[in-house]
């Protein structure tokens, strides 16, 4: 019998496939074939492992968040610290692999799309390391809210193109990157940032991110003597989530939860809760679940986190939701921001707002599962890039802001209700 | 033989080859898009490609995208295409293909879309992001309702893939001239000639070249080696800048390009 963790494209159940212009098929075939060869090549694997170890800083830590426990119904919370990776998130895992693949393909230019900027920064970093020309497409809305990451990419030598079309966010950046790729496919590799898009990207990105779960599984066994009760992650496109879930997919006793962005509430028009509220359809080259109107026009998503502000999701997640292996739950902007502050003040770790969605979900889950539970949380990135959002949200820049208590009573109560409208 | 195939063959008999014009449905309004479509067909084009406005058009260049965004902002709905197709077909007697990104057809229902398009007198579908490999439902529905299916062939396609595209296409094979998106270019890539030759060598009877064709001279050049030339962005720009009369004039000029030489 096939194990869930070995599921491969082009289809995951009814999801996946290739819904792209014919012009791109040859390039997708080439990537699929080269990835299959690379995976079986010991030299490639050694080089990837060396870069993870000596450049990115792997294995990343598994941190026992001791002071957070009391806010999680006593459940033990273990943080998989992808925030400690070079460039500050899990994105480097994928990009280093795809940059190595670009070299194997004999191409000298990479393009990428980015929402929060984490994938863009990681791609610009790898391009610098490997001597590749690099262009990053980013929605104009995102270049404004992630100015620091734009500056980083430019310092690293990448060209950053602000995309004004459509909603000027991640989905439009993907459209623009696809257009560039169609026009320049001979020398250009598209370093896709998440486990979505046409085959083989969902599988390729999943493979490259699965190191998160492999490490976390081993580390949690050695730290606690067994498998965790639950593993949780935030889900936008879903690459960190599929990366940490993969190693646990066939451990039936481990509960898996994906927390997606409910924005202002999954029952309001402003959210990015694709699996909770989306329908089946085709976007960005794959059959998946997406936010769309009755005609099939994409509905613009909303999240306080640029990294989760995406109206579709990777096809493997859509399948895992359908077969009931992973439970997907929406988490509001407010719940995520409260969790961001709580982790900052209890553990001295400022998480990315994306990751704070997973944390908020874990706190709720901990209260449900109780003190015997162990919950592994994918802390997919660090919050440095989100400080402007946090400053504005918490009014941290105001001179008379003096509240230094860990958690005022009314806010603790608010966190108790993190499920929001779910 | 389908209506589109007959139109292409008639154009080949009469002059160098067929002219296929693209316009978006609903731009600048539904009525004006119907008027513009009738104008280009009356002006000498042989087949209309009516494009459905879509929120995420991966193949469209800025001219077409800007027009389709406006159509969506004006309240265009997918079902409008059937009424527009019916009006154009009845008035001109020429074949109307619909160009659509796949999700719009999928949400309407593949079978229902085919049924309603056929009922409106439509000739078939051009599917820029649906490759034959993923098209089982559409192959079945187009058979049932006697609709053409125009798949794309690219310079990067293998011979094996070209063979599949030829086998599963009906009407013509959309021969992608350049590795790029829609929009007029100064030189239509030489790759188009090579690709058309490859298609003919593999048994393709009607290769129509699209992307980057905007002038009568380019039409004449393309028709040296292909059965049809597809013009889109230039027509949309003419409609945007000068309305229905300007677009009718451009269609006439392009048709003159198609007559420029009969030395096939």
């Amino acid at each position: 019998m096939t194990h869930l963790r070995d599921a491969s494209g082009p289809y995951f159940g009814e999801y996946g496939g290739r819904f792209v212009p014919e012009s791109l098929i040859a390039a997708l075939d080439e990537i699929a074939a080269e990835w299959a060869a690379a995976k079986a090549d010991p030299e490639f694997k050694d080089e990837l492992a060396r870069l993870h170890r000596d450049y990115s800083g792997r294995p990343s830590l598994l941190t026992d968040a001791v002071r957070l426990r009391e806010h999680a119904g006593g459940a033990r919370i273990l943080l998989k610290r992808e925030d400690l990776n070079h460039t500050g998130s899990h994105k480097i895992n994928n990009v280093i692999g795809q940059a190595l693949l670009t070299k194997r393909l004999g191409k000298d230019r990479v393009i990428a799309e980015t929402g929060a900027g984490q994938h863009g920064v990681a791609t610009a970093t790898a391009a610098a390391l490997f001597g590749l020309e690099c262009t990053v497409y980013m929605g104009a809305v995102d270049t404004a809210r992630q100015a620091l990451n734009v500056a980083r990419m430019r310092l690293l030598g990448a060209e950053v193109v602000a995309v004004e079309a459509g909603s000027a966010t991640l989905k439009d950046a993907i459209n623009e990157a696809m257009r560039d790729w169609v026009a320049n496919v001979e020398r250009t590799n598209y370093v896709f940032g998440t486990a979505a898009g046409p085959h083989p990207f969902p599988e390729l990105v999943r493979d490259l991110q699965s190191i998160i779960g492999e490490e976390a599984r081993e580390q949690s066994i050695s730290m606690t003597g067994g498998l965790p009760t639950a593993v949780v992650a935030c889900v936008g496109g879903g690459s960190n989530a599929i990366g940490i879930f993969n190693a646990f997919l066939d451990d039936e006793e481990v509960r898996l939860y994906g927390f997606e962005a409910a924005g202002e509430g999954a029952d309001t028009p402003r959210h990015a809760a694709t699996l909770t509220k989306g329908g089946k359809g085709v976007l960005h080259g794959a059959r998946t679940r997406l936010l769309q109107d009755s005609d099939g026009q994409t509905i613009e998503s909303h999240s306080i986190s640029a990294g989760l502000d995406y109206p579709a999701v990777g096809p493997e997640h859509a399948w895992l939701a359908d077969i009931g292996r992973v439970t997907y739950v929406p988490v509001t902007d407010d719940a995520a921001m409260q969790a961001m502050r709580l982790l900052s003040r209890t553990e001295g770790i400022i998480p990315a707002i994306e990751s704070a969605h997973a944390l908020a979900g874990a706190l709720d889950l901990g209260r449900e599962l109780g003190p015997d539970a162990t919950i592994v949380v994918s802390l997919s990135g660090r919050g440095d890039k989100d400080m402007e959002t946090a400053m504005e949200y918490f009014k941290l820049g105001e001179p008379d802001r003096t509240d230094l208590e860990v958690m005022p009573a009314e806010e603790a109560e608010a966190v108790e209700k993190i499920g929001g409208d779910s | 033989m389908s209506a589109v195939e007959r139109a292409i063959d008639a154009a080949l008999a009469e002059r160098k080859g067929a002219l296929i014009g693209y316009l978006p449905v609903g731009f600048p309004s539904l009525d004006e898009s119907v008027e513009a479509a009738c104008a280009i067909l009356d002006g000498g084009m042989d087949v209309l490609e009516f494009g459905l406005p879509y929120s995420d058009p991966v193949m469209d260049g800025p001219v077409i995208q800007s027009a389709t965004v406006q159509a969506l902002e004006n309240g265009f709905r997918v079902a409008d295409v059937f009424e527009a197709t019916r009006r154009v077909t009845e008035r001109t007697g020429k074949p109307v293909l619909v160009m659509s990104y796949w999700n719009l057809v999928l949400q309407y229902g593949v079978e229902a879309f085919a049924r309603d398009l056929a009922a409106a007198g439509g000739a078939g579908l051009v599917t820029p992001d649906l490759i034959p490999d993923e098209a089982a439902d559409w192959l079945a529905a187009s058979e049932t309702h006697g609709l053409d299916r125009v798949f794309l062939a690219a310079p990067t396609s293998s011979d094996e893939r070209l063979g599949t595209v030829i086998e599963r296409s009906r009407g013509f094979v959309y021969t992608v001239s350049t590795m790029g998106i829609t929009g007029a270019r100064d030189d239509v890539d030489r790759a188009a000639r090579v690709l058309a030759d490859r298609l003919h060598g593999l048994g393709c009877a009607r290769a129509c070249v699209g992307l980057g064709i905007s002038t009568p001279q380019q039409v004449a050049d393309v028709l040296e080696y292909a059965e049809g030339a597809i013009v889109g962005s230039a027509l949309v720009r003419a409609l945007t800048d000068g309305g229905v009369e300007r677009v009718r004039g451009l269609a006439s000029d392009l048709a003159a390009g198609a007559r420029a030489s009969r030395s096939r």
Side-chain angles (χ1 to χ4, degrees), chain A residues 11-288:
Chain A
Y11 274 91
F12 300 91
E14 63 179 293
Y15 305 102
R18 282 180 177 172
F19 296 85
V20 292
E22 173 67 26
S23 309
L24 294 177
I25 298 297
L28 292 167
D29 277 345
E30 189 185 21
I31 291 172
E34 199 61 44
W35 178 238
K39 273 201 289 192
D41 178 354
E43 264 184 53
F44 181 90
K45 285 196 281 194
D46 285 353
E47 179 64 358
L48 186 58
R50 185 190 68 77
L51 286 161
H52 280 327
R53 186 185 64 238
D54 300 343
Y55 188 74
S56 306
R58 300 206 74 87
S60 68
L61 302 177
L62 190 69
T63 298
D64 198 345
V66 178
R67 291 212 323 123
L68 193 63
R69 259 182 109 143
E70 62 179 292
H71 301 273
R76 189 174 186 183
I77 304 284
L78 304 176
L79 305 172
K80 182 57 179 160
R81 301 290 306 281
E82 294 300 300
D83 61 314
L84 296 177
N85 296 343
H86 181 47
T87 74
S89 80
H90 70 292
K91 295 291 186 183
I92 196 79
N93 307 331
N94 171 41
V95 163
I96 290 280
Q98 289 208 46
L100 271 180
L101 196 63
T102 303
K103 291 292 233 189
R104 277 180 79 105
L105 291 164
K107 299 188 176 186
D108 63 358
R109 176 174 182 259
V110 289
I111 54 172
E113 83 294 341
T114 197
Q118 286 175 313
H119 177 58
V121 168
T123 306
T125 298
L129 180 67
F130 287 83
L132 300 163
E133 190 183 319
C134 178
T135 302
V136 178
Y137 291 92
M138 191 169 185
V141 168
D142 294 334
T143 55
R145 60 183 168 181
Q146 300 288 346
L148 196 58
N149 271 339
V150 173
R152 278 198 189 108
M153 289 183 265
R154 288 183 173 149
L155 186 60
L156 289 159
E159 180 195 4
V160 180
V161 179
V163 177
E164 303 279 355
S167 55
T169 58
L170 180 58
K171 85 174 175 72
D172 308 287
I174 293 177
N175 291 336
E176 230 27 65
M178 287 270 192
R179 292 153 187 267
D180 180 317
W181 201 29
V182 173
N184 301 295
V185 68
E186 280 199 8
R187 56 173 291 236
T188 303
N189 190 28
Y190 184 2
V191 176
F192 207 75
T194 191
H199 173 71
F201 288 127
E203 183 184 330
L204 168 64
V205 176
R206 188 272 315 273
D207 287 350
L208 288 167
Q209 292 293 3
S210 62
I211 193 167
I212 306 172
E214 283 159 21
E215 287 178 6
R217 192 173 185 281
E218 213 177 286
Q219 289 165 326
S220 56
I221 290 171
S222 85
M223 192 180 281
T224 70
L227 288 168
T229 316
V231 175
V232 312
C234 64
V235 180
S239 71
N240 91 94
I242 205 69
I244 197 164
F245 292 161
N246 186 255
F248 298 96
L249 281 178
D250 296 299
D251 298 320
E252 284 174 17
E253 67 273 41
V254 179
R255 301 183 187 205
L256 303 176
Y257 291 86
F259 294 102
E260 54 182 9
E264 294 175 3
D267 290 328
T268 74
R270 285 169 60 77
H271 64 81
T274 313
L275 289 160
T276 309
K277 291 289 176 177
K280 294 174 185 178
V282 164
L283 183 67
H284 294 144
R287 181 190 271 266
T288 184

Side-chain angles (χ1 to χ4, degrees), chain B residues 6-218:
Chain B
R6 282 197 301 275
I8 293 171
D9 289 1
L12 283 166
E14 182 197 333
R15 45 183 161 85
K16 281 176 67 184
L19 263 176
I20 296 158
Y22 168 96
L23 286 173
V25 194
F27 172 78
S29 67
L30 194 64
D31 286 344
E32 285 167 288
S33 68
V34 168
E35 291 306 316
C38 291
I40 68 168
L41 292 170
D42 292 343
M45 301 201 106
D46 304 293
V47 176
L48 176 71
E49 199 187 315
F50 235 167
L52 289 190
Y54 176 50
S55 53
D56 295 86
V58 178
M59 280 288 281
D60 294 351
V63 172
I64 292 176
Q65 195 177 10
S66 154
T68 54
V69 164
Q70 193 180 320
L72 287 170
E73 283 170 356
N74 291 346
F76 167 82
R77 298 302 308 256
V78 167
D80 293 339
V81 76
F82 304 115
E83 166 70 7
T85 297
R86 189 185 56 73
R87 286 162 63 185
V88 174
T89 308
E90 283 177 2
R91 274 174 55 182
T92 66
K94 291 189 175 178
V96 176
L97 290 164
V98 169
M99 190 287 259
S100 180
Y101 290 92
W102 192 238
N103 196 45
L104 303 182
V105 179
L106 205 56
Q107 297 314 316
Y108 194 87
V110 179
E111 166 62 26
F113 195 100
R115 178 197 64 211
D116 291 354
L117 182 59
L125 268 180
V126 182
T127 52
D129 63 345
L130 182 74
I131 56 176
D133 323 43
E134 305 279 6
D137 291 349
W138 167 231
L139 292 173
S142 56
E143 274 317 305
T144 304
H145 297 284
L147 293 169
D148 281 353
R149 37 185 190 250
V150 176
F151 292 111
L152 275 57
T156 47
S157 305
S158 64
D159 279 357
E160 190 189 352
R161 291 199 59 80
L162 292 184
T164 307
V165 167
I166 293 165
E167 184 202 332
R168 301 199 184 161
S169 291
R170 187 163 52 209
F172 61 89
V173 170
Y174 194 119
T175 308
V176 174
S177 64
T178 61
M179 293 303 290
I181 54 177
T182 60
R185 285 177 178 74
D186 291 340
D187 294 300
V188 172
D189 202 314
R190 296 190 68 77
R193 182 186 292 268
V194 174
L195 178 57
D197 288 350
R198 288 176 64 208
L199 285 165
H200 291 142
L202 291 162
C204 175
R206 296 170 196 84
C208 297
V209 175
L211 301 195
I213 301 170
S214 62
T215 67
Q217 184 57 49
Q218 285 173 327

